């Protein structure tokens, strides 16, 4: 949800800013802009370049109109206040101040009125411009220096904001401010970097400072001074990250999404590493304070989007294994309800980014009722794990950075860690036999190979997708743990192909959705063998009778059912506990290839952004 970057050092800022923004574009791509301070006739002046649309437009513009200087800031936007036009693109300026912003200034209307009544003319419709004027006004009216003026201004704003700010009169400083939106500082030699996340600046450094709530940092090329909004110095540790910069590159794949789909076997293997102890016959839940979970009597899961679907699967897994009741809430609903949780409730927040505003708020809400908090997260040191660290902790998925807006490898690894959690709780509560535990751990070990096998169907699935480029609607049907996979398949299809798609519990179809079926309607049926197989076969026949076009996701040897489908995608026969993860993969590929065949931008679907840091 908007990405911000900054650079101060001995190199030209322009190239570094544009390069870093390229790796942050997944956070928003409605417009982009950079600003640098350049020296001309012994005077510094601010150079601003902005363009509506994707970063590519800005690059073209900057090529024709270079942006000189060794200090600068940049922004890629997901529009909240104001249309995605050049006028509303960041950076915003109120001389001598220029800034970029991620987040929402909640009291901007009131501040806007205040500034307008002082005769100020606003150039944009954004909430951000207000902040530039506030700092500038502090400088002019109260003769404050840059740091003091910024401090005074941020005390007046409410909401979520990560800011990077330049002052033409103090040309060796970038001021960063963090409140409820992520912001990190990358440390270089005689140069420092600023970004919304690590991946943006990984090619330049692997040493980082993660700013905490209420931090304000004064960043120069050779120093970083952090204080709170009231000027009290704050010490923050330097962290090292051993990720290779190539994690944020496509490495020969046409899209990040395809690369990330193909990375799933490795992501699962990494996620399982060290967590299955066959010697001791137990799962190792590193990062989880298991002792605190001894007396819980129920679990509530809160999450959004694909992470919510992973939570739905976890309900089946955990209830079955640990015999604990599991409830599930969309984080955006949970946060505004007087929820009935207490110290014996474990509230699990699932989030790839660890920054999703609704999930974070839902967890805070649960915390205020004394619930224990645990997070399932893919992003180290992000806000959600930080919130949970003094409660039940975090179980990290180890999918590596996920750049594609549509979640794939993070989703599948969420399923894996939630299965591990179910096993760990089952063991702690004496609900699983030694034999069953060994069997379940072995099943997880089979998962990477099973996913590899499905990936070999890639070109087959691509051919199937070609047949549906003109589809306007689709239904996805599944039962049990494959019902959430039907929802996930439909979500992937909607967000990538802009096809109206619905996931349905197959047994529920006859209560309404069946009316939608005609000869035009593609219906994807997840119909592997299991205790509801016969029921699914009946559901499939109901669709067929009404002329629906069936794509079956079937066991690899199910020739009978194959003959009943227009198309089929065979998947390996696996145990129930890993079936949901395996069955996800063909649906990811189907959505990817359909969107690609329609010529759509798979990695950057319209209106979306990764890391939804606004409500
Ligand atoms: C869909 C997708 C989104 C996210 C959702 C939650 O492909 O990626 O639905 O799952 O925005 O994001 P996180 O997991 O970062 O909290």
């Amino acid at each position: 949800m908007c990405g911000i970057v900054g650079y101060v050092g001995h190199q030209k800022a322009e190239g570094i800013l544009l390069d870093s923004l390229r790796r942050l574009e997944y956070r928003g791509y409605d417009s982009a802009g950079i600003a640098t301070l350049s020296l001309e006739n012994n005077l510094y002046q601010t150079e601003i370049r902005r363009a509506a649309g994707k970063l590519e437009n800005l690059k073209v513009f900057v090529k024709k109109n270079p942006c000189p200087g060794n200090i600068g800031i940049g922004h890629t936007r997901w529009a909240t206040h104001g249309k995605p036009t050049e006028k509303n693109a960041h950076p915003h300026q109120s001389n001598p101040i220029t800034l970029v912003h991620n987040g929402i200034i909640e009291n901007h209307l009131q501040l806007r009125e205040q500034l307008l009544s002082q005769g100020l003319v606003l150039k944009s419709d954004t909430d951000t411009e207000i902040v530039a004027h506030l700092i500038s006004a502090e400088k002019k009216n109260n003769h404050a220096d840059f740091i003091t003026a910024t401090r005074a201004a941020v005390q007046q704003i409410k909401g979520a904001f990560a800011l990077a700010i330049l002052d033409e009169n103090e040309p060796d400083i970038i001021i960063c401010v963090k409140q409820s939106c992520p912001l990190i500082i990358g440390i270089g030699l005689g140069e420092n970097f600023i970004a919304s996340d690590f991946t943006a600046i990984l090619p330049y450094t692997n040493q980082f400072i993660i700013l905490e709530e209420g931090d304000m940092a004064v960043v120069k090329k050779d120093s970083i001074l952090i204080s709170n909004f009231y000027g009290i110095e704050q010490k923050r540790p330097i962290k090292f990250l051993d990720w290779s910069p190539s994690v944020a590159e496509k490495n020969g794949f046409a899209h990040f999404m395809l690369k990330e789909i193909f990375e799933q076997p490795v992501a699962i293997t990494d996620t399982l590493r060290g967590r299955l102890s066959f010697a001791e016959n137990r799962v190792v839940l590193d990062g989880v304070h298991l002792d605190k979970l001894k007396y819980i009597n129920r679990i509530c899961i809160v999450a959004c989007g694909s992470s919510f679907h992973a939570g739905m699967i976890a309900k089946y897994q955990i209830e079955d294994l640990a015999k604990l009741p599991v409830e599930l809430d969309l984080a955006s609903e949970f946060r505004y309800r007087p929820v009935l949780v207490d110290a014996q409730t474990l509230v699990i927040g699932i989030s790839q980014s660890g920054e999703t505003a609704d999930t974070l708020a839902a967890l805070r809400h649960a915390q205020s009722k004394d619930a224990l908090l645990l997070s399932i997260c893919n992003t180290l040191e992000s806000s959600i794990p930080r919130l949970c660290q003094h409660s039940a902790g975090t179980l990290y998925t180890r999918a590596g950075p996920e750049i594609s807006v549509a979640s794939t490898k993070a989703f599948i690894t969420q399923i894996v860690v939630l299965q591990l959690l179910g096993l760990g709780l089952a063991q702690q509560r004496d609900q699983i036999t030694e034999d069953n535990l060994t069997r379940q751990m072995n099943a997880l070990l089979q998962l990477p190979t099973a996913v590899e096998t499905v990936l070999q169907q890639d070109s087959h699935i691509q051919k199937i997708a070609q047949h549906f480029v003109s589809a306007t609607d689709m239904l996805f049907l599944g039962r049990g743990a494959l019902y959430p996979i039907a929802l996930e398949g439909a979500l992937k299809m909607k967000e990538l192909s802009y096809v109206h798609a619905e996931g349905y519990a197959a047994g529920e179809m006859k209560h309404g959705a069946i009316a939608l079926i005609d000869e035009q309607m593609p219906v994807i049926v997840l119909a592997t063998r299991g205790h509801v197989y016969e029921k699914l076969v009946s559901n499939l026949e109901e669709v067929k009778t009404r002329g629906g076009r069936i794509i079956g996701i079937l066991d690899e040897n199910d020739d009978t059912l194959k003959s009943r489908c227009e198309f089929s995608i065979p998947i390996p026969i696996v145990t129930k506990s890993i079936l949901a993860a395996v069955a996800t993969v063909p649906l990811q590929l189907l959505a990817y290839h359909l969107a690609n065949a329609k010529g759509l931008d798979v990695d950057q679907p319209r209106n979306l952004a990764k890391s939804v840091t606004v409500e």
Side-chain angles (χ1 to χ4, degrees):
M1 231 48 356
C2 297
I4 66 178
V5 296
Y7 174 79
V8 51
H10 49 83
Q11 304 190 56
K12 284 189 179 155
E14 176 196 289
I16 293 171
L17 295 173
L18 291 174
D19 180 52
S20 309
L21 283 178
R22 178 175 65 82
R23 275 182 295 276
L24 269 193
E25 213 186 355
Y26 72 87
R27 295 179 70 91
Y29 29 84
D30 287 333
S31 66
I34 57 172
T36 57
L37 298 180
S38 76
L39 189 59
E40 219 161 284
N41 304 326
N42 283 332
L43 265 186
Y44 275 93
Q45 63 184 41
T46 313
E47 306 277 351
I48 299 183
R49 309 284 181 271
R50 309 187 299 189
K54 296 199 173 175
L55 181 64
E56 200 45 44
N57 298 350
L58 177 69
K59 282 186 176 167
V60 171
F61 184 58
V62 169
K63 199 158 187 192
K64 287 187 198 139
N65 306 277
C67 209
N70 308 110
I71 179 168
I73 52 179
H75 188 269
T76 177
R77 179 167 188 242
W78 186 82
T80 55
H81 294 71
K83 288 196 170 136
T85 55
E86 196 265 337
K87 165 180 102 162
N88 290 327
H90 300 216
H92 290 285
Q93 192 178 38
S94 171
N95 236 357
I97 298 298
T98 307
L99 56 78
V100 290
H101 167 219
N102 165 210
I104 289 183
I105 309 297
E106 285 170 2
N107 57 340
H108 79 105
L109 283 177
Q110 174 205 331
L111 294 168
R112 176 178 277 265
E113 289 306 314
Q114 199 177 299
L115 291 169
L116 288 174
S117 71
Q118 290 163 14
L120 213 86
V121 179
L122 295 172
K123 287 171 267 179
S124 75
D125 310 318
T126 66
D127 50 340
T128 305
E129 189 189 342
I130 312 289
V131 188
H133 289 298
L134 285 179
I135 303 174
S136 202
E138 284 294 331
K139 290 199 73 170
K140 281 179 198 132
N141 304 342
N142 300 331
H143 307 290
D145 61 24
F146 183 20
I147 298 172
T148 316
T150 304
R151 207 167 270 146
V154 293
Q155 287 174 28
Q156 297 172 54
I157 56 180
K158 293 198 182 106
F161 45 91
L163 299 160
I165 315 162
L166 293 174
D167 179 346
E168 213 171 83
N169 299 332
E170 301 201 38
D172 56 343
I173 297 178
I174 304 177
I175 295 186
C176 302
V177 179
K178 181 208 144 77
Q179 178 74 58
S180 301
C181 289
L183 198 56
I184 57 157
I185 301 171
I187 304 169
L189 263 183
E191 57 183 354
N192 286 313
F193 306 82
I194 291 152
S196 297
D197 80 17
F198 304 109
T199 48
I201 48 179
L202 260 186
Y204 306 107
T205 181
N206 62 356
Q207 294 185 44
F208 301 96
I209 292 174
I210 301 156
L211 293 183
E212 296 194 4
E213 292 309 290
D215 278 355
M216 178 171 140
V218 177
V219 183
K220 297 185 179 180
K221 66 179 180 185
D222 43 19
S223 70
I224 298 162
L225 200 70
I226 304 173
S227 63
N228 65 14
F229 292 176
Y230 304 96
I232 298 166
E233 196 179 331
Q234 306 291 315
K235 294 263 178 256
R236 302 286 173 234
I238 296 175
K239 309 254 176 178
F240 293 83
L241 202 68
D242 61 359
W243 286 350
S244 146
S246 72
V247 294
E249 302 297 335
K250 287 187 201 144
N251 295 341
F253 283 91
H255 295 98
F256 279 112
M257 182 180 179
L258 194 60
K259 174 184 168 236
E260 287 162 9
I261 290 174
F262 273 82
E263 279 173 349
Q264 291 182 112
V266 174
I268 296 164
T269 307
D270 287 345
T271 298
L272 288 175
R273 188 164 293 120
R275 287 170 168 168
L276 299 175
S277 169
F278 285 94
E280 296 174 30
N281 202 32
R282 67 182 187 99
V283 295
V284 180
L285 300 178
D286 55 308
V288 180
H289 308 305
L290 257 188
D291 48 316
K292 294 191 180 171
L293 306 186
K294 267 190 199 143
Y295 304 110
I296 57 168
N297 57 20
R298 60 196 268 259
I299 292 178
C300 287
I301 295 178
V302 291
C304 308
S306 293
S307 296
F308 180 78
H309 297 152
M312 288 179 78
I313 299 162
K315 177 177 165 68
Y316 292 94
Q317 291 166 326
I318 296 174
E319 287 191 343
D320 190 28
L321 291 166
K323 312 287 181 265
L324 264 169
V326 180
E327 285 166 38
L328 206 72
D329 253 289
L330 288 165
S332 51
E333 292 295 318
F334 183 92
R335 62 182 292 190
Y336 292 115
R337 278 198 303 121
V339 289
L340 301 176
V341 297
D342 57 25
Q344 281 177 289
T345 315
L346 173 66
V347 177
I348 305 177
I350 309 173
S351 175
Q352 185 287 127
S353 61
E355 300 293 347
T356 300
D358 285 323
T359 310
L360 190 58
L363 287 169
R364 287 199 180 117
H365 186 38
Q367 186 184 42
S368 73
K369 312 252 172 198
D370 297 328
L372 277 163
L373 306 185
L374 176 76
S375 71
I376 304 296
C377 188
N378 193 43
T379 310
L380 296 173
E381 303 287 350
S382 51
S383 303
I384 289 176
R386 279 156 171 269
L387 179 68
C388 299
Q389 66 191 349
H390 300 300
S391 189
T394 291
L395 194 51
Y396 278 104
T397 49
R398 300 185 192 133
E402 193 177 64
I403 308 288
S404 161
V405 165
S407 184
T408 54
K409 61 177 181 170
F411 174 71
I412 211 164
T413 53
Q414 285 168 349
I415 301 176
V416 170
V417 291
L418 286 160
Q419 171 75 358
L420 287 171
L421 180 67
L423 292 173
L425 290 171
Q427 200 168 25
Q428 185 184 46
R429 301 168 63 80
D430 252 339
Q431 295 290 344
I432 190 164
T433 63
E434 294 282 311
D435 275 1
N436 190 15
L437 184 62
T438 316
R439 263 199 313 278
Q440 298 277 353
M441 295 202 303
N442 270 314
L444 279 169
L445 275 189
Q446 308 305 316
L447 182 56
T449 314
V451 170
E452 286 283 3
T453 310
V454 182
L455 291 173
Q456 286 162 17
Q457 303 281 332
D458 183 40
S459 51
H460 171 58
I461 296 172
Q462 183 174 14
K463 283 187 200 121
I464 296 175
Q466 311 281 348
H467 291 266
F468 295 96
V469 277
S470 49
T472 52
D473 304 273
M474 279 191 182
L475 272 180
F476 288 72
L477 304 181
R479 279 176 180 254
L482 294 187
Y483 164 46
I485 298 303
L487 293 174
E488 174 63 8
L491 177 61
K492 290 276 110 64
M493 192 57 78
K494 276 185 271 215
E495 66 181 328
L496 297 171
S497 303
Y498 316 148
V499 170
H500 168 243
E502 279 200 57
Y504 245 83
E508 184 65 13
M509 192 185 55
K510 55 188 171 296
H511 299 289
I514 201 163
L516 292 169
I517 293 172
D518 61 14
E519 294 73 27
Q520 314 299 323
M521 177 68 91
V523 185
I524 294 88
V525 188
L526 293 146
T528 52
R529 291 194 187 93
H531 72 289
V532 285
Y533 178 68
E534 277 75 26
K535 313 267 176 227
L536 265 160
V537 174
S538 307
N539 298 144
L540 190 145
E541 289 301 336
E542 288 156 14
V543 174
K544 199 167 167 57
T545 311
R546 287 155 183 88
R549 302 182 65 188
I550 299 172
I551 306 170
I553 312 294
L554 310 177
D555 282 340
E556 58 195 358
N557 62 358
D558 195 345
D559 292 334
T560 316
L561 209 52
K562 182 177 172 187
S563 66
R564 309 294 299 147
C565 301
E566 182 177 348
F567 298 98
S568 65
I569 304 170
I571 62 172
I573 299 165
V574 294
T575 58
K576 188 176 124 197
S577 59
I578 61 166
L579 177 60
V582 176
T584 308
V585 182
L587 304 189
Q588 296 169 340
L589 286 169
L590 190 65
Y592 168 80
H593 284 301
L594 191 51
N596 208 20
K598 288 174 82 170
L600 299 172
D601 189 338
V602 178
D603 282 334
Q604 297 178 344
R606 71 183 176 207
N607 304 339
L608 291 174
K610 217 165 175 72
S611 262
V612 187
T613 52
V614 295
E615 281 184 42

